[in-house]
Every structure is written in structure tokens, then in C-alpha cells.
Amino acid sequence: MEMTELAISDLHKAFGANAVLTGVDLTVPTGSLTAILGPSGSGKTTLLRLIAGFERCDRGTIALGGTVVDAAGSTFVASERRRIGYVPQEGSLFPHLTVRKNIGFGLPRGARDGARVNELIALIGMDGLGGRYPHQLSGGQQQRVALARALATRPDLVLLDEPFSSLDPSLRAGVRADVKRLLCAAGATALLVTHDQDEALSLADRVAVIRCGRVCQCDTPQVLYDAPTDTEVAGFVGEANLVPGVFVDGSVRTVFGDLVCHCRAGAKPTAADAVVLIRPEQVKLCPIGPECALAGRILEREYHGHDSVLRVKPDGDDVPGEILARIPGHVYYEVGSPVAVSVEGTVLAWSVERGGASRRQLVPAQ
């Protein structure tokens, strides 16, 4: 398969007076899986439709492998000539066609029952099931067939539009792993649209967060989680405690005491006041002792088996708000229990001007 790179520059799209995309810049490296992550209405699906050629952009360019396929007012390459495979949200298999005929649908007539179809049936682990119809398959099997159909013509780019949203939660993790394996085996460059943070972080090589019609950050999953570009991204990608603080000699002073901190991309703090990101798994709880920096009380406990998420109310009128703590599932605290609260590890901090939070108020956990 010829691999390609997707390059998008200053992309705009509006529907009447509704501006959906307002300057998207994005590069998808050759052979990678990039996830577009954003809430409903953020422009994810519109971006996918522009890349696929189902819509035309109002401004900006889209290039595949160095060839411009859409430039407002000039170039436009029709969708069928872009060498793009598309996996829609529901899979959308043809109900009257077998697995074999669904996979081979986009191939030349003479190749629709040949070696390429056999290769893909084996790749998706459905040997012996080529004669079945979609209604005879599980949801996960249908998604694998839809992906095989998209890969059949050896496209330069595969687009996946929320492909797991219709699956039962118990199936999603397994099907996601299958899709990742299939894309890697095919050497495909792929773009996944999703609103599910866990899905994006666990599946993609890079994650682009789209907000208000623009990509506000695109990084590896770990960088995105550990070093979000601002407090909004921090609260959207995983659970976040956002706490006021003051920069003091290379650390940041908070209600938890002085914490070792870093600023994103090595930036120096531009003001004494800070807003600090503390992930729930960094919050440590223990019985109250004489050297307790911060005491609190358990308000709520959510048990997930492998871990528990606790909502803690710090004591004292000068510390409004609540803190989320994620602890191992075998550790048990009763609701209402008093606890000592501390923070482990390095935290991320922004100056107030960049973070936009008030020093005097603890921002409630999201």
C-alpha cells in the first residue's frame, strides 16, 4: 500500500451563518493513526467530510501525499478520485450482500471474489464466514468487515467516523484492539473521529483536540494528558483538579504545600500567581496525622473494581470546592471519613494570565 501524509492548512467551513471550522491546521504523519477528539458540535464530522470530499471548504487547503485535493475557489478533486477509505459510524454494510461481496464491493468486477478478498477475510479473522450476511454477524464482526471493505482498494488514507459508538461497552475494547491491529498490518494512514477520551488516548498515535472550530492541541496521548496546552484541554482530556497556587523558587505553593512543578514546553512563569493541574491519581489519602498539611472528608465514592474515585471536601472556609482522588480498588474509605490529603509527583502549572483561573478560588474538579 502506498502510504501518504495528510496536510490541512487554515481550513474554514460555514453553513450559512454558522461557522463550523475557523482555521484548522493539522498534519497526519505517514503510517500513523491520528484521533480527532472533541465534544459534539465541535466540527469533527464536518472536518472528516471535507477530507473525504463530501463537502467543499470555504477557505484553506487539504493535501494528500503532497497533492492538493481541495483549495477554496480553485482545486477540487472528487471524492472517488482521492483514494480514501471510509468507515461510517454504523458500518453501513449492504444487508443483501455476504461478507465476501461486501468486502469486494469497491474492487474491479473481476477481482471481487479473488485473492485480495481472501487476504482481507483472513486478516480480520473471519475465515469460513465469507458467506454470512450482516444480520448473522455480531456488532464487532460487522465493524471488522466494514474496515476490510475500506481497505480493499488499498487506499492512501482511511477515515473512521466514530466506528465504535454503536457497540456495547463490553465489546469496544476488543474491537478497538482489532482495528488497531488491522490498520498496522495494512500499513494504513488513518484518521479517527471520536468524542471518547479513553478511546482516543488508548488507540491513537497522536490526538488532535478540536475546540471552537480549531485544533487547539495535537500531541501524543501521553503529552496531551501530562502537558495539556491550557486548563480547558486539561479538563476535557481526563479528570482534572485545578488548584490555585503561587510560584516560589522553582516550585508552586498550594493548599497541599509546596509542589514540584513544570510549565508546558519549558515556559517560565510570567507571574507569581498560578493555576495548577493535579490529576486524581496524584492525590494520596491516608488517616489524619499530626503533620497533615490538608485535612478533608470523603463526600462520595465510586467503585470501579480496579480502582475507586473519591470526591473529597477539604476542611476550612478558605479552601472552597472539592478534590477528586483515584485510589486502588482494594483500598476502602467510608463516605464521611476524615482523611489527610497530599499530592505525589510533579504537577503542571500555568501563570494565571495563561490559565485564566482565580488564585482565590479552587476550581471544582471536572
Side-chain angles (χ1 to χ4, degrees):
M1 176 180 293
E2 179 185 357
M3 294 185 290
T4 191
E5 180 184 75
L6 170 68
I8 297 171
S9 178
D10 193 32
L11 199 66
H12 289 68
K13 181 64 180 178
F15 296 98
N18 181 28
V20 180
L21 302 179
T22 57
V24 170
D25 295 300
L26 178 67
T27 298
V28 177
T30 299
S32 72
L33 170 58
T34 296
I36 302 293
L37 176 65
S40 297
S42 60
K44 304 185 303 296
T45 297
T46 296
L47 178 58
L48 211 67
R49 290 180 62 80
L50 287 167
I51 296 167
F54 302 153
E55 304 279 354
R56 296 199 64 169
C57 70
D58 298 331
R59 189 170 115 195
T61 60
I62 301 172
L64 287 170
T67 300
V68 173
V69 295
D70 193 358
S74 57
T75 306
F76 182 76
V77 176
S79 58
E80 63 271 18
R81 294 177 52 217
R82 294 193 184 189
R83 294 188 52 78
I84 289 176
Y86 183 73
V87 181
Q89 199 169 100
E90 302 291 337
S92 298
L93 299 179
F94 300 113
H96 62 291
L97 298 182
T98 62
V99 165
R100 178 175 293 277
K101 289 184 177 179
N102 262 287
I103 293 173
F105 182 81
L107 295 171
R109 189 174 296 274
R112 290 180 183 174
D113 198 29
R116 179 60 177 162
V117 174
N118 293 333
E119 174 189 345
L120 287 165
I121 288 177
L123 187 66
I124 63 176
M126 293 182 64
D127 285 313
L129 302 180
R132 291 195 178 182
Y133 289 87
H135 73 273
Q136 297 173 306
L137 305 176
S138 68
Q141 288 173 326
Q142 289 182 32
Q143 285 303 106
R144 293 203 295 272
V145 173
L147 180 57
R149 183 177 63 187
L151 292 170
T153 58
R154 304 182 191 274
D156 294 332
L157 177 69
V158 177
L159 305 178
L160 302 106
D161 186 5
E162 306 237 25
F164 315 112
S165 61
S166 62
L167 299 179
D168 292 336
S170 59
L171 285 176
R172 286 179 195 163
V175 176
R176 286 200 302 247
D178 288 342
V179 167
K180 176 78 170 181
R181 174 182 58 80
L182 294 170
L183 290 170
C184 288
T189 303
L191 190 66
L192 165 74
V193 161
T194 181
H195 65 274
D196 186 319
Q197 293 93 334
D198 290 340
E199 186 172 290
L201 295 177
S202 65
L203 193 60
D205 302 308
R206 296 166 78 246
V207 179
V209 178
I210 190 168
R211 182 178 70 207
C212 300
R214 292 172 178 256
V215 173
C216 56
Q217 185 173 359
C218 184
D219 270 307
T220 65
Q222 184 161 2
V223 170
L224 188 70
Y225 187 79
D226 291 342
T229 192
D230 57 34
T231 56
E232 287 189 55
V233 175
F236 181 67
V237 182
E239 294 163 317
N241 297 300
L242 298 173
V243 179
V246 178
F247 289 112
V248 179
D249 297 328
S251 64
V252 62
R253 185 159 295 161
T254 71
V255 292
F256 299 98
D258 289 359
L259 305 176
V260 177
C261 72
H262 69 276
C263 298
R264 192 177 183 277
K268 300 296 183 183
T270 59
D273 294 345
V275 59
V276 183
L277 168 63
I278 300 170
R279 294 295 187 186
E281 59 271 18
Q282 293 182 274
V283 177
K284 304 303 173 185
L285 306 178
C286 64
I288 291 178
E291 297 184 1
C292 170
L294 180 66
R297 190 169 297 276
I298 307 296
L299 294 182
E300 185 179 290
R301 177 177 182 266
E302 292 182 2
Y303 179 66
H304 301 285
H306 50 81
D307 66 15
S308 294
V309 177
L310 305 180
R311 193 172 291 273
V312 182
K313 174 64 174 73
D315 292 343
D317 295 336
D318 58 334
V319 190
E322 299 167 3
I323 302 277
L324 283 185
R326 188 182 298 277
I327 64 174
H330 68 273
V331 178
Y332 182 75
Y333 285 98
E334 288 275 3
V335 172
S337 300
V339 288
V341 188
S342 61
V343 173
E344 184 176 78
T346 301
V347 298
L348 180 69
W350 297 270
S351 62
V352 165
E353 289 86 350
R354 293 180 61 198
S358 168
R359 175 186 167 191
R360 298 184 179 278
Q361 183 177 4
L362 177 66
V363 179
Q366 300 297 313

